[in-house]
Amino acid sequence: MINWNKFRSYGVVMDKYRFAGILLHRIYRILNYMTRKEYYYFEDTKTDIENPAIIVFWHGKIFTVCNATREIIKKASMVSASKDGDILGELLRREGNELIRGSSNRDNIKSLKEALRYAKQGYTLGIAIDGPKGPIHEPKPGAIFIAQKTGLPIIPVSSYTDRKWIFEKLWDKLEIPKFFSRNIHYMGEPFYISKDTDIETAAEIIKKNIHKCTDRAYEIYNGKYMSKRKNTE
């Protein structure tokens, strides 16, 4: 019988979660190549992302948001310390992200300290703000805490995909674009959270701004493509 533990000690057998992450990244790359993508920004936001900021988005949009942040060179993303996080982390690492392992809850001191360290080094931070376990579209206080501590602007990001798979049984209703779908990515207006803003108020501000990006992405798609279809009918 083969002693797989012996092989694993020599690094021969790859961790199954890392392998799943590599496979997920291959799928992501194939979909990336076989989908149509357009990028839109609020006024000068494209220039603003050249400087450190906190990018916030919904966990269910994480597959498409990777594309929206493609031009950011120094970036670090917060990823759950769970086994599922190992899978996602491998994808993000292969897309040029440094990894901050932990959740976006304020009580996760270790991950928040790590995020602050990256912020001081000039990195842009990416946070799926309702992750890692939901509830869906309910911002966790971690990003708020980091924004208040660092004074960095928060930039909301979202997208609209005309053809997609939606995993209804997952808490975040994860969206994955289908082949040859059209994807509209929208990066919204940067805003700041002052130190005297309470958590509940700040969470509502963030939620409103991310939803505004989702609505804007759909408006762009609707105005650019649906109106053409109506005119040809």
Side-chain angles (χ1 to χ4, degrees):
M1 181 180 291
I2 297 175
N3 186 345
W4 290 108
N5 289 328
K6 183 177 179 180
F7 279 92
R8 188 175 288 109
S9 67
Y10 289 108
V12 176
V13 180
M14 184 181 295
D15 179 90
K16 64 181 180 180
Y17 296 101
R18 185 185 171 205
F19 177 78
I22 293 172
L23 182 61
L24 180 63
H25 182 252
R26 294 288 175 86
I27 294 170
Y28 169 80
R29 280 293 190 176
I30 292 170
L31 286 170
N32 195 38
Y33 182 74
M34 299 185 70
T35 55
R36 293 166 289 184
K37 296 168 288 295
E38 298 176 25
Y39 304 93
Y40 297 89
Y41 305 85
F42 175 86
E43 296 181 358
D44 296 327
T45 302
K46 190 172 184 179
T47 303
D48 293 333
I49 62 173
E50 296 174 2
N51 300 311
I54 301 170
I55 305 293
V56 295
F57 51 92
W58 299 132
H59 199 278
K61 298 277 190 180
I62 199 164
F63 224 78
T64 54
V65 168
C66 280
N67 275 312
T69 59
R70 74 202 187 287
E71 294 183 353
I72 301 173
I73 298 173
K74 289 185 69 174
K75 51 191 175 184
S77 294
M78 192 169 286
V79 183
S80 167
S82 66
K83 295 301 183 183
D84 288 343
D86 289 345
I87 299 172
L88 179 59
E90 188 63 29
L91 184 154
L92 293 172
R93 186 181 67 79
R94 288 170 176 269
E95 287 299 305
N97 290 266
E98 296 292 332
L99 302 181
I100 304 167
R101 301 306 300 269
S103 74
S104 55
N105 286 312
R106 187 170 180 173
D107 57 357
N108 196 320
I109 304 299
K110 183 180 178 181
S111 61
L112 292 179
K113 283 184 176 180
E114 189 77 355
L116 291 173
R117 183 175 69 82
Y118 274 109
K120 289 178 181 177
Q121 293 176 0
Y123 281 79
T124 286
L125 307 179
I127 302 177
I129 201 164
D130 54 344
K133 296 181 179 179
I136 189 171
H137 299 169
E138 291 298 331
K140 299 293 193 306
I144 299 167
F145 176 77
I146 296 167
Q148 291 176 325
K149 280 286 186 181
T150 62
L152 289 176
I154 295 177
I155 300 179
V157 182
S158 195
S159 62
Y160 174 77
T161 303
D162 62 349
R163 298 174 61 248
K164 53 186 174 279
W165 291 288
I166 301 177
F167 292 79
E168 296 286 353
K169 292 185 178 181
L170 296 181
W171 72 264
D172 61 351
K173 303 292 188 290
L174 179 67
E175 297 180 8
I176 296 182
K178 290 185 177 181
F179 295 112
F180 311 113
S181 61
R182 191 176 298 278
N183 300 269
I184 306 295
H185 304 287
Y186 188 79
M187 193 166 283
E189 181 180 7
F191 60 94
Y192 294 85
I193 301 293
S194 65
K195 291 184 178 181
D196 58 351
T197 303
D198 63 82
I199 297 297
E200 291 75 17
T201 301
E204 285 301 315
I205 293 171
I206 292 174
K207 182 193 294 189
K208 179 181 177 182
N209 277 277
I210 300 177
H211 282 323
K212 190 184 294 184
C213 289
T214 306
D215 293 342
R216 183 63 186 133
Y218 175 72
E219 287 171 5
I220 292 169
Y221 171 81
N222 192 46
K224 193 171 182 180
Y225 298 105
M226 296 304 291
S227 57
K228 286 183 180 179
R229 289 182 186 178
K230 291 178 182 177
N231 291 334
T232 57
E233 291 176 354

